[in-house]
Amino acid sequence: MSITGAETLPVAGGASGRTAETQALSARLNNIRGTIRVRRFFIGFLVLLPGWVMADSLTHNMDLVLQPASGALIVNDRIGFDQPRASFEFRLNAGFSVRTASGRLKRLDDDPLHPLYRLSWAGPAAAAELYYQGKPLFAPTRGHGGMPQGDVSAAGVYLDGSSAWYPFSGATIAGLDLRIGVPDGWQALSAGKRSEERGRIRWVSKQPQDELYLLAGRYTRHVRRHGDIDLSVWLLQDDPALAGRYLALMGQYIDHYSDLIGPYPYAKFAVVENRWPTGLGMPSFTLLGAQVLRLPFIPYTSLPHEILHNWWGNGVWVDYGRGNWSEGLTAYLADHWMKERQGKGAEYRLRALQRYSNYAANGHDMRLLDFVSRHDEASQSVGYSKSLMYFHMLRRALGDQAFDAGLRRLWQQHRFQRIGFEQAVRTLIGERADIARRFIPWLSRKGAPALRLDQVRLQREAAAYRLDFSLAQDADPPFDIDIPVEVRFADGTSKRVVQRLNGRSARFRLDLPRRPAQLLIDSAYDVLRYLDASEQPPALNRLFGGQTWLVIPHYASAQERAAWRELAQAWQRRYPGLRVVTDEQRYGLLKGGNRIVLGWDNRLFDDRLRAAMSGDGRRLTRDGLQIGKTGYPGSGHAVVLVSSDAQGVSTAFIGAQGVQAIEVLARKLPHYGSYGVLVFDRPDMRNRYKAVPENPHSRLRREL
């Protein structure tokens, strides 16, 4: 899933009489047509071309009849303008025949999917009325999860603005009154508040929107009222218990974010089951694939994330030409918040810095102002991990109270407006010019600092101790950073201070009342930075993100060898730094290079590798893995272990028997990148054990 940037197709001019507004409209719809709009798990709002000027707002008052058996729609759309106009230009799906009740309708181009029309009148008109019907046409390309651009069929209906199923003008949609006729047993969903009138389903919305959605199918609706908000779960395969789990949590999340930011902006929030294995986020609802919907962790991870997007992204809109701030802020206030309230904030930030350090380094980093949406691991690590760490540092600099006030200010000042990254940050900061001077420059710079601890010296002075040390960063020019420093004592207590580093290096002194045992720099991972290789826990994403050898067992069975090669090819498409060799070619491996050793039959699976993978209560043998008192024999389990040496070189071993187990690991392991010890049961390949080993070699820690 990706946004590859603004795409502008050639637009004819001159003799056609097109206005600048017409050309901008064409460019915008072309951009939507060629764009997949993505969030962490979910698709977000439409992307505008840089320099696009939003047209005036309008309203849609629509009567629509769905004929899914034939793939057709019949629509009467009464469009109200915010001010009278002499003409109205729009694009409409080429599968429709269209006429008007008044005025002159002219087709302006021959676009095969979304032709451009102009409706004009002799004098200014306050409204237009269009009648159109037919079978909408869709581009043949498929998106994430194989989902088509749109669908109107007996299996169900999915339509959004990219298919121009309604007159698409580029204007803000200030209001919607949509009445839908559906077949018996069908439900239909759109924006706003739902009701039923004379056998039709009605949706009324008074909130501004960028585009209109229409979903329909044989859904079972589970509804719960939460104050003035309708909470609902729409299932194609009914499961009251599943619906109950979601309904029990939605209101809690909405209340939390309403208290933090401001009142929830919509009349409903719905979780809707999708026919395709995707996750999509729209204003006031989220569309989840059947399997995704039923994953046990989704109500506690993705659900708060998608609810929060109704403030950031769907409430305050993103000016993508000036940087997508929404994903990082949403990930910070949802995904990070869920871990922080469990006391696992530092663990979450470590994983964020791991992803950023491993995937964005080596020339793949970008400025925060350049992030639009994720299209690979590197862009995701910037738009989510780097961005959320930036907001974490900003929160620490401002303090919780001022940061929360900034969130409320961002909502109050910019709801249903389009803003870029810098404007969002300046609004959060408010009047603190000192904070703005330090943090705004981060937005326009690639990269981040890597920290170094040097010249540590401990001296006894009378009844106290003096600790001197140097901190350095490799960035040029230097970043202005607050670095948490922790001193631990033998009795388990600690002293924490924050030191400002705004040059290439600086010398610091701490006066301590008793002898310290350890000095640790940024031990809770509060600083946006590249992790030093020595401090990263041994984990799969260290190997996925850089240059790594994948070593295939030459003497495995032909079927298993083929399965390992298919795994390698699939991972190479996702992780271009992986290179494939066989264990017969092992002598050609670069010394000091990262490697992933595949299979129990691999010749590199020798005594030295097994010893490196053992320790901390784990023992890897030829026959399986022992963790504490529990044994996991290789005949009944697949195991994954990662180790790193003092130079930061990592080695992984993946042991699995049988083609099916290898095929499942090929799909699963990229989702377990933060872990260094994994056990899966055969034959169902359910995860049995997962852990993140500690790295004892950190160069940002000193034993005193």
Side-chain angles (χ1 to χ4, degrees), residues 404-658:
D404 292 351
L407 295 173
R408 292 189 288 272
R409 183 166 53 247
L410 181 61
W411 175 244
Q412 292 162 3
Q413 293 185 7
H414 298 299
R415 58 188 169 207
F416 304 118
Q417 297 176 15
R418 196 171 306 283
I419 64 172
F421 215 130
E422 182 173 335
Q423 190 172 6
V425 171
R426 288 192 181 277
T427 305
L428 277 170
I429 292 173
E431 301 299 322
R432 292 289 303 275
D434 58 323
I435 302 295
R437 280 194 299 270
R438 296 180 56 209
F439 277 84
I440 294 301
W442 284 77
L443 301 177
S444 56
R445 291 186 60 177
K446 287 185 179 180
L451 302 180
R452 189 174 69 252
L453 172 63
D454 291 323
Q455 301 174 18
V456 180
R457 183 182 181 188
L458 180 65
Q459 291 179 292
R460 182 162 187 169
E461 295 185 346
Y465 288 85
R466 172 179 169 176
L467 178 62
D468 294 285
F469 59 94
S470 294
L471 290 175
Q473 58 173 308
D474 65 353
D476 186 20
F479 289 91
D480 191 334
I481 326 168
D482 285 336
I483 302 178
V485 175
E486 181 182 5
V487 176
R488 293 179 183 172
F489 300 97
D491 61 1
T493 60
S494 63
K495 174 184 177 68
R496 293 177 174 86
V497 296
V498 175
Q499 304 286 9
R500 175 72 56 83
L501 179 63
N502 51 20
R504 293 295 299 271
S505 64
R507 187 81 177 158
F508 300 99
R509 169 180 172 174
L510 296 177
D511 294 311
L512 305 169
R514 59 190 188 279
R515 182 180 179 86
Q518 288 180 318
L519 172 65
L520 304 96
I521 306 303
D522 192 28
S523 58
Y525 307 101
D526 292 309
V527 177
L528 168 54
R529 59 189 175 89
Y530 289 135
L531 291 176
D532 186 271
S534 69
E535 66 178 320
Q536 288 207 47
L540 284 172
N541 57 20
R542 294 194 64 184
L543 297 145
F544 290 154
Q547 299 295 318
T548 298
W549 295 101
L550 274 171
V551 187
I552 294 174
H554 178 77
Y555 291 100
S557 69
Q559 294 84 358
E560 285 194 2
R561 190 166 63 250
W564 285 121
R565 285 200 174 274
E566 289 180 9
L567 174 147
Q569 291 167 4
W571 286 3
Q572 281 183 305
R573 288 191 291 270
R574 184 166 183 172
Y575 310 114
L578 299 182
R579 294 165 290 176
V580 179
V581 296
T582 69
D583 54 359
E584 279 197 325
Q585 303 167 301
R586 63 190 183 278
Y587 299 110
L589 294 180
L590 294 175
K591 290 185 178 180
N594 295 336
R595 63 198 64 190
I596 302 175
V597 177
L598 303 173
W600 299 100
D601 301 322
N602 202 298
R603 290 189 174 187
L604 265 64
F605 183 55
D606 54 18
D607 291 341
R608 184 170 57 179
L609 183 145
R610 289 192 290 274
M613 297 291 174
S614 300
D616 291 333
R618 297 183 301 273
R619 188 168 67 90
L620 182 62
T621 69
R622 286 188 175 276
D623 302 317
L625 175 65
Q626 185 82 20
I627 301 177
K629 296 181 179 180
T630 305
Y632 301 100
S635 58
H637 303 85
V639 303
V640 180
L641 292 103
V642 184
S643 68
S644 299
D645 62 21
Q647 287 70 47
V649 177
S650 295
T651 301
F653 170 70
I654 301 175
Q657 292 184 9

